[in-house]
Amino acid sequence: MAWEISSELANSIVYDPEGREHRLGDSWLTKPALLVFIRHFG
Amino acid sequence: MRLEVNSIRETGAELVIVANGKPHHAESFRKDLKLTNPIFVDPKLGTYKALKLKHGIWYTLRPIAWWHAFLAMRQGYRNKKYTGDVWQQGGTFLVMPSGQVPYHYISKHPGDHPNPKDFLSILTNIFKQAK
């Protein structure tokens, strides 16, 4: 069964490398997004 | 990862990386790998928790994790540094504009990654059906 993203996740605030805030859900508004959550940088 | 960025973009989708760390860690990562796709950080791990991604000492230090670390080292990979919460594991989610998730993979330990062929074939089919 396919999952559906919760509004809690879509409304989550994440930060770009410059420290600016972004709503995560904006990432898939216009086209599919492959979200890769990585363990760590390095 | 650079190869995957191109393969994913060729299907019409975008690769979005979310990491466990601080913004300045993301900047170094982006420069080191010359990445052009969006990269975000979630220092409080709220997104990881919302997706119920694995977390804890067992997931990081279980025997199979050591085996994968050994295999990675044999292939020449070395972790230069750790950032953020070292007990946090990752995951991969293909999210459609509707919010549906036709593919997901939750990593159970370090070195447990999805096969890119799996999500690339789903993406290719999605865009074929849309034409």
Side-chain angles (χ1 to χ4, degrees):
Chain A
M1 193 177 81
W3 282 22
E4 194 151 325
I5 288 292
S6 67
S7 56
E8 176 196 2
L9 184 70
N11 290 326
S12 294
I13 298 298
V14 290
Y15 301 88
D16 68 19
E18 286 75 39
R20 292 180 295 241
E21 290 187 359
H22 294 262
R23 180 181 171 272
L24 185 62
D26 292 345
S27 303
W28 58 82
L29 271 182
T30 57
K31 59 182 172 181
L34 189 77
L35 296 183
V36 178
F37 291 80
I38 61 175
R39 288 188 60 229
H40 58 79
F41 293 122
Chain B
M1 192 173 301
R2 268 170 287 178
L3 285 175
E4 305 321 339
V5 175
N6 292 335
S7 304
I8 292 161
R9 283 183 167 164
E10 280 168 15
T11 68
E14 181 62 285
L15 171 66
V16 177
I17 296 173
V18 181
N20 165 15
K22 299 273 171 61
H24 67 275
H25 298 138
E27 183 59 20
S28 304
F29 184 73
R30 182 165 68 179
K31 282 183 181 165
D32 288 350
L33 294 181
K34 298 181 174 61
L35 294 171
T36 56
N37 57 288
I39 302 175
F40 300 117
V41 294
D42 179 7
K44 292 183 179 172
L45 302 176
T47 55
Y48 288 74
K49 288 171 190 161
L51 287 163
K52 297 184 169 56
L53 298 184
K54 307 291 186 194
H55 180 274
I57 190 169
W58 167 247
Y59 295 110
T60 303
L61 298 179
R62 62 202 298 185
I64 194 169
W66 291 102
W67 173 246
H68 278 274
F70 170 71
L71 293 178
M73 286 176 72
R74 270 185 39 173
Q75 291 174 358
Y77 294 106
R78 297 284 186 283
N79 282 327
K80 293 179 201 163
K81 61 190 172 189
Y82 287 95
T83 58
D85 185 336
V86 297
W87 309 126
Q88 182 64 59
Q89 306 304 310
T92 300
F93 300 81
L94 174 58
V95 187
M96 305 303 293
S98 64
Q100 287 195 315
V101 181
Y103 173 87
H104 73 275
Y105 188 93
I106 295 178
S107 299
K108 293 179 280 301
H109 53 79
D112 180 23
H113 305 300
N115 185 338
K117 285 180 186 168
D118 294 343
F119 54 73
L120 285 172
S121 67
I122 292 173
L123 271 171
T124 303
N125 285 335
I126 286 169
F127 282 99
K128 255 187 209 167
Q129 287 171 9
K131 282 180 185 172

